[in-house]
Amino acid sequence: MDYGHSERPAGARVLPTALKVLVAGGFGAGKTTLVGAVSESRPLRTEEVLTETGIGVDDLSGVERKSTTTVAMDFGRITISNDLVLYVFGTPGQDRFWFLWDELAVGALGAVVLADTRRLADCFPSIDYFEGRGTPFVVAVNCFEGARRFGVDEIRAALDLDPEVPLLLCDARQRESGRNVLITLLEHAMKTREARRRAAGG
Ligand SMILES: Nc1nc2c(ncn2[C@@H]2O[C@H](COP(=O)(O)OP(=O)(O)OP(=O)(O)O)[C@@H](O)[C@H]2O)c(=O)[nH]1
Ligand SMILES: [Mg+2]
C-alpha cells in the first residue's frame, strides 16, 4: 500500500482519532465501576482483594462493603462518534498508589474527578493534582443511594471549584450517565484549549 501521495484511495476507512482521558477521585468513589459501565470492550481491571494487611492503611469508612481495590489502573474504550474514540483510564484511588499518576496522566486530554458526597474531601487531592498540572477536568458526583443528596451549588461551594469547572451528578453504574460525563469533559477540554490558544494570541 502506497499512501505516499496525498490522495487517499476512494472508500478507504478513516481511522478515528483516539483521545485519552482519566477517571480519578478518592478511594471507592466508583472509578472502576464507571470505566466498566462505559466501556465497549471488556474493560481491563487490576483489582486486588482488600485484605487484613490493609487494615489501618485502607480507609473503608463509608464503603464497608467494598472488597477489592484498583492497584494499577482500569482501562476501557468508548466510541463517541465515527471519527472519535476515547481511551478511558481509571486511576487507583488509594494514596499508596500515587506514584502511578504521573505515568497515567501523560498525554491525557482531560480528567473526570469522581466524588462521593459521603467522603467529599477524598477528591481534593485529585482536584489539586489536575489544577496543578493545568489538565482540564470536570467533577462528577456519583450518587450512591443512601447518601444524603446535596445540591450542585452546595457541592460546588464545598469543593471551592473555579466557576468554569463543570460539576454534574451521575450514576457510575449507568452507561448513558457515564457517557454523558465523558462528553461534558470533552466539550470542556475543547473549550479550555480554545480559550488558552486565544489567550496566547494563536
Ligand atoms: N450503590 C452504588 N454502588 C456503587 C456505585 N458506584 C460504585 N458502587 C459500588 O461501590 C464500590 C466501589 O466502587 P469501585 O468502582 O470499585 O470504586 P473505585 O473508585 O474504583 O475504588 P478504588 O479503585 O479502590 O479507589 C463497589 O462495590 C461498587 O459496586 C453507585 O453509583 N451506587
Ligand atoms: Mg478502582
Side-chain angles (χ1 to χ4, degrees), residues 106-123:
V106 173
L109 176 82
V112 172
V113 173
L114 262 187
D116 173 352
T117 53
R118 298 168 302 177
R119 303 154 55 106
L120 202 55
D122 288 9
C123 72

Side-chain angles (χ1 to χ4, degrees), residues 32 47 70 74:
T32 299
E47 295 291 284
T70 305
D74 305 301

